[in-house]
Amino acid sequence: MKSSEKSFDVVIIGSGASGGAVAYMLTRAGFRVALLEKGGLVPRDAFSKDEIAYCRRDIVTPSLFDEYHVIEEKIEGKWVSTPTYESGWSFWNGNIVGGSSNFMSGMFHRLHPDDFRLLSKYGPIEGANVVDWPITYEQLEPYYTLAESLVGISGHFQPHPHEPPRSTPDFPQPPTQENGIVALFDKTCKAMGITPLVTPRAVLSQPKGGREACYYSNFCGSYGCSSGAKGSSREALLPQALSTGNLTLFTHTQATRLFSSDKRKIGYVETVHTLSKKKGRIYARYFVVAAQAHESVRLLFNSADRFHPDGIGNRYGQLGKNLIFSGGGSGQGYLTKEALKPEDFEALMQPGLFVNRSILDWYFIDDWWHGKFKGGLVEWMFEHQNIIRRAAAEIRDEHGELLWGKALGERLYRRFTQSKGLRFEIFNDWLPTDECFVTVDTQHRDIYGMPVGKLRINGHPQDLKVGSYIAEKCEAILHRMGAKEIYSSVSAAPSQNLVAGGCRFGKDQKSSVLDPYCRVHESDNLYVVDASFMPTGGSVAHTWTIYANALRVGDYLAKRVL
Amino acid sequence: MKRRTFILLSTSLVATVKLQPTPALKGLSKHRALLEALLAHLFPPHSALPSAKELGVIDFFIEAVAHPSFDRDIRRFIIDGTERFAHFAPDFIKANADAKERYLRRFVKNDFGDRWVARVMIVALEGILGDPIYGANRGGAAWRALHTRGGSPRPKGKYLEELGKIV
């Protein structure tokens, strides 16, 4: 081994939610861990609310001309491939220490026990590869609870038929503060026989450790948190891991290939420094891949060798299969000065405070006309307060004609001072199918010379049916509240920040890539812990489940493997 | 939407001026007076928003489009469109407000012109409504005009440059 080559107990590739959780468990158990992150470390006090830098330029994600994906979509019956440098449709989600967890909105929900047994509960769906998980909710529950405590999830538990059971009575922190208009939302829902629930948030309402409570900046999602309130991996887990002295953080370090030392073992990971372009090797006894689902699959494909000619974990052709996203859609209506009571309007226009409401009533649907089927969750929030984005959405009139001059000025003034958008986002299962998967495209390579990930994207008709069913209910709530300009959009386009699957875990190595502890079936020392393990996605954002599962795997590695 | 495909297609179908590659700053600075007049017409005085002239949006516009973080295809599209607009409206700078309005309304009648003006407006809005550190939203004047405010903390430098190269 050269002096520039290093050796550890474990190498973790990726510092986001899952990589951070495994690093936390292993370093506290005394193991020497190397954590690789392709981006840099942004200190907390450097996170500003700069809309231009964070939201309108590729500054915390790679330039799409340097690193990109190829997206295959079915257009008029034919599969059409488009590199993302062509489309501008980025599938990067925050490449700095802490990964995309820095930029999440932090609306956290657990999966329901029935999400772990979807096939048993609802039976097969034609054209969809629905399976039961190899573990149960009860096995994951202690780690949901651990994540709740470590991340610092605020909320208030309200019993509901579709709320999963808990081993603790309530959340460790009370809910974050709410805008006064929420009273009108609650009243409206209750009048319609709908139960509004407080949304659990990975946002501190009270200080915790070295992290400050939320200061209600009015700009949360898409931005790093400058108080430490948001429960990112960088804030909630990595400081504790670093404090053990057992964690070595390699920033600007991209893993390009895993190298096998024999048929069942990885010997080292080849890296490239993203600034100097210098190559390196890091040796370890165990390797944990946590690079985000589609990038982890890409790394395994790009690590093909004589032992694994079709990619590591692909002996039975399962690698990259059953890629999933979050199905559903979104909608919005404007609450206006003219439609609200003066006191309600005044409350509405207070900046910063959250809506923090969820509806679980349609998580499982039993409709006299539509029948019984798995539904989804709805999150309610204000439209994103980004000022430039909101203004840019107003430069065309209702006929699509450009507006400028005084007409634009008046329109912007009305929009910003006389109304506020109330938004809903629907999360339902993106059913796994044979037509949604990840491979690599050897015709397209990134600036490091590695084939880029190629994502074939196709939704199942059931996803749209569920989303449309729920969107109709949500629009009715907005109508009842007196909102104007109500619209919703449910489409087969994926949410690129909610990607999962591709390394499905399961008991049968012929139909899965990972075993129930997320070890690659054909390897003794390689684990994959990001959302790629998920065989089905549930009908909530994946992040809490990613945290919980990675803590479970980390616990297993620390106690029973290493 | 295949954004870049559209830009390239529209370039080949609608092009009236064949462009040679030009460095970004040179390509924009050459038409500074035209762009300044255009921005002044799009964001005039006596509106609910402060005017482009009052805010000095032209300086932000040129700097933003020339900055390395700006999408290179959109930069090319903006420069290409500026050349075409200069060809289309050679006396735009000296024209009165009514004549300027007529020029613009005619220019946006085709798809390329419409998308170019929209893109120019969006970049201008980035300056007008972005953080004051970028130079155009002087003292937060545009935020005050819309009774809004940007987030806190505010950036200490433009484009996160104060942090050095992050990614």
Side-chain angles (χ1 to χ4, degrees):
Chain A
M1 189 183 303
K2 295 176 188 172
S3 60
S4 61
E5 298 169 350
K6 300 172 179 69
S7 183
F8 294 86
D9 292 319
V10 181
V11 168
I12 301 172
I13 298 163
S15 68
S18 59
V22 174
Y24 175 88
M25 296 300 273
L26 297 185
T27 54
R28 289 173 65 88
F31 297 102
R32 293 173 55 253
V33 174
L35 183 60
L36 278 52
E37 169 54 53
K38 71 185 288 182
L41 174 64
V42 179
R44 181 195 298 173
D45 60 6
F47 279 127
S48 68
K49 308 300 178 185
D50 182 344
E51 184 178 351
I52 291 177
Y54 282 104
C55 301
R56 305 194 69 80
R57 304 287 186 270
D58 295 332
I59 293 181
V60 291
T61 54
S63 163
L64 293 178
F65 296 105
D66 294 337
E67 299 178 66
Y68 57 96
H69 299 91
V70 173
I71 307 300
E72 264 191 309
E73 294 174 283
K74 197 171 242 181
I75 298 173
E76 295 173 355
K78 291 182 180 174
W79 290 106
V80 176
S81 296
T82 309
T84 54
Y85 62 75
E86 276 281 341
S87 64
W89 190 14
S90 179
F91 278 70
W92 300 112
N93 292 300
N95 300 103
I96 58 174
V97 173
S100 56
S101 66
N102 288 293
F103 304 108
M104 64 183 178
S105 298
M107 297 177 185
F108 269 31
H109 292 267
R110 303 177 182 210
L111 295 183
H112 188 276
D114 286 347
D115 283 316
F116 293 70
R117 51 192 181 218
L118 219 51
L119 180 63
S120 304
K121 178 84 178 181
Y122 288 93
I125 295 175
E126 189 177 348
N129 303 324
V130 177
V131 293
D132 289 346
W133 285 33
I135 63 171
T136 63
Y137 175 79
E138 289 69 27
Q139 288 172 282
L140 198 56
E141 200 284 336
Y143 300 99
Y144 274 125
T145 302
L146 179 60
E148 192 172 285
S149 165
L150 292 174
V151 170
I153 301 179
S154 56
H156 172 57
F157 177 70
Q158 298 154 276
H160 184 281
H162 300 159
E163 272 285 9
R166 300 170 51 87
S167 58
T168 55
D170 210 338
F171 291 90
Q173 295 217 345
T176 47
Q177 294 177 42
E178 295 162 1
N179 184 288
I181 202 69
V182 174
L184 176 63
F185 178 81
D186 288 348
K187 186 178 163 190
T188 305
C189 286
K190 286 170 186 167
M192 297 172 74
I194 295 165
T195 306
L197 299 173
V198 175
T199 302
R201 299 292 302 272
V203 176
L204 300 180
S205 58
Q206 299 172 342
K208 173 180 165 56
R211 298 161 58 196
E212 300 298 321
C214 179
Y215 64 100
Y216 306 98
S217 72
N218 207 29
F219 298 85
C220 184
S222 305
Y223 292 96
C225 182
S226 47
S227 71
K230 196 188 288 186
S232 65
S233 161
R234 189 184 54 80
E235 283 290 351
L237 300 170
L238 295 182
Q240 290 93 319
L242 284 165
S243 71
T244 64
N246 293 323
L247 181 66
T248 304
L249 179 59
F250 290 85
T251 58
H252 301 292
T253 301
Q254 162 118 357
T256 49
R257 285 189 70 178
L258 297 163
F259 279 81
S260 302
S261 53
D262 63 41
K263 192 177 175 183
R264 291 195 61 86
K265 281 199 168 178
I266 304 301
Y268 67 90
V269 56
E270 180 189 73
T271 62
V272 60
H273 193 271
T274 57
L275 301 181
S276 70
K277 307 294 186 284
K278 191 176 172 184
K279 288 191 174 183
R281 293 178 180 183
I282 303 178
Y283 291 79
R285 294 194 290 129
Y286 288 86
F287 294 82
V288 175
V289 180
Q292 202 155 44
H294 48 308
E295 283 296 293
S296 290
V297 170
R298 176 193 175 210
L299 178 64
L300 298 186
F301 270 119
N302 282 342
S303 301
D305 57 24
R306 64 193 172 101
F307 302 117
H308 314 92
D310 299 317
I312 296 176
N314 200 26
R315 184 193 299 175
Y316 293 100
Q318 292 299 307
L319 181 61
K321 297 290 171 59
N322 298 301
L323 182 73
I324 52 178
F325 297 87
S326 179
S330 61
Q332 183 168 300
Y334 284 97
L335 300 174
T336 63
K337 187 175 186 176
E338 61 185 16
L340 292 175
K341 293 177 186 170
E343 60 271 25
D344 287 340
F345 182 72
E346 190 180 347
L348 173 73
M349 300 307 278
Q350 286 294 313
L353 304 182
F354 295 116
V355 174
N356 270 7
R357 283 294 181 273
S358 309
I359 295 175
L360 274 175
D361 289 18
W362 309 301
Y363 205 81
F364 301 102
I365 294 166
D366 186 355
D367 185 286
W368 70 274
W369 177 256
H370 295 280
K372 285 185 181 181
F373 54 95
K374 172 73 191 301
L377 159 82
V378 187
E379 300 280 16
W380 290 82
M381 66 211 75
F382 288 125
E383 65 174 324
H384 200 293
Q385 294 301 293
N386 268 345
I387 299 169
I388 299 166
R389 188 197 61 78
R390 289 167 66 202
E394 300 294 331
I395 65 171
R396 293 184 186 276
D397 66 15
E398 57 274 21
H399 307 294
E401 298 293 322
L402 283 171
L403 279 176
W404 55 68
K406 289 180 185 174
L408 176 63
E410 284 165 14
R411 185 183 176 95
L412 291 177
Y413 183 82
R414 279 199 308 276
R415 179 61 84 205
F416 276 76
T417 63
Q418 314 285 303
S419 67
K420 195 169 190 175
L422 182 61
R423 179 177 170 78
F424 62 85
E425 291 186 358
I426 302 164
F427 295 78
N428 61 257
D429 281 77
W430 177 290
L431 292 173
T433 72
D434 288 342
E435 295 290 14
C436 196
F437 55 83
V438 194
T439 56
V440 287
D441 190 329
T442 53
Q443 302 303 306
H444 289 271
R445 291 173 183 264
D446 65 15
I447 51 167
Y448 311 111
M450 301 307 294
V452 305
K454 184 175 188 176
L455 285 66
R456 175 175 284 197
I457 294 174
N458 197 42
H460 190 282
Q462 178 73 8
D463 307 345
L464 297 179
K465 176 187 166 185
V466 174
S468 300
Y469 178 92
I470 296 173
E472 194 176 323
K473 306 272 186 193
C474 295
E475 286 200 23
I477 295 173
L478 289 171
H479 276 294
R480 186 83 171 247
M481 289 182 76
K484 310 292 181 195
E485 301 177 57
I486 297 167
Y487 70 89
S488 64
S489 170
V490 173
S491 79
S495 44
Q496 67 271 22
N497 60 332
L498 292 168
V499 56
C503 290
R504 207 173 232 208
F505 75 162
K507 291 175 180 168
D508 178 6
Q509 62 176 318
K510 291 184 178 174
S511 61
S512 58
V513 176
L514 310 174
D515 78 1
Y517 279 106
C518 293
R519 179 180 58 82
V520 174
H521 283 300
E522 63 202 62
S523 176
D524 292 333
N525 69 341
L526 177 62
Y527 291 75
V528 183
V529 296
D530 53 37
S532 56
F533 80 95
M534 298 174 78
T536 54
S539 300
V540 299
H542 307 139
T543 318
W544 196 352
T545 301
I546 296 171
Y547 269 129
N549 183 63
L551 290 169
R552 180 183 71 96
V553 174
D555 196 25
Y556 170 76
L557 284 168
K559 289 177 179 167
R560 294 166 61 182
V561 178
L562 292 170
Chain B
M1 176 63 195
K2 305 296 183 286
R3 174 165 55 94
R4 292 186 171 82
T5 303
F6 166 78
I7 291 168
L8 294 173
L9 271 177
S10 57
T11 302
S12 60
L13 292 173
V14 190
T16 53
V17 178
K18 188 173 173 64
L19 286 180
Q20 297 301 319
T22 34
L25 202 54
K26 191 177 166 190
L28 289 166
S29 298
K30 178 177 149 192
H31 291 296
R32 181 187 171 92
L34 173 65
L35 286 167
E36 191 168 11
L38 173 63
L39 291 168
H41 186 82
L42 295 170
F43 299 96
H46 311 301
S47 164
L49 277 179
S51 72
K53 188 174 180 183
E54 181 185 345
L55 295 176
V57 175
I58 183 64
D59 293 326
F60 167 83
F61 187 92
I62 290 176
E63 180 183 290
V65 176
H67 192 270
S69 67
F70 199 83
D71 184 297
R72 71 185 188 200
D73 283 351
I74 297 176
R75 179 190 298 130
R76 187 178 177 81
F77 174 65
I78 287 175
I79 295 171
D80 186 3
T82 305
E83 290 282 357
R84 290 188 205 185
F85 187 64
H87 184 76
F88 177 82
D91 59 346
F92 185 85
I93 297 169
K94 292 180 181 170
N96 63 31
D98 288 343
K100 282 180 172 139
E101 183 70 11
R102 283 195 298 276
Y103 265 131
L104 267 178
R105 286 295 166 198
R106 277 170 49 213
F107 195 66
V108 299
K109 277 197 186 308
N110 73 51
D111 215 23
F112 179 94
D114 178 87
R115 288 177 184 275
W116 178 75
V117 173
R119 182 60 64 181
V120 168
M121 290 177 67
I122 287 169
V123 177
L125 283 170
E126 288 182 350
I128 294 169
L129 293 168
D131 192 275
I133 202 163
Y134 287 89
N137 183 11
R138 290 176 184 164
W143 287 346
R144 279 197 306 280
L146 297 182
H147 298 199
T148 187
R149 61 170 191 250
S152 171
R154 289 186 41 207
K156 298 183 180 79
K158 303 174 187 177
Y159 305 106
L160 308 186
E161 283 167 350
E162 75 275 19
L163 295 177
K165 188 164 177 59
I166 295 173
V167 292

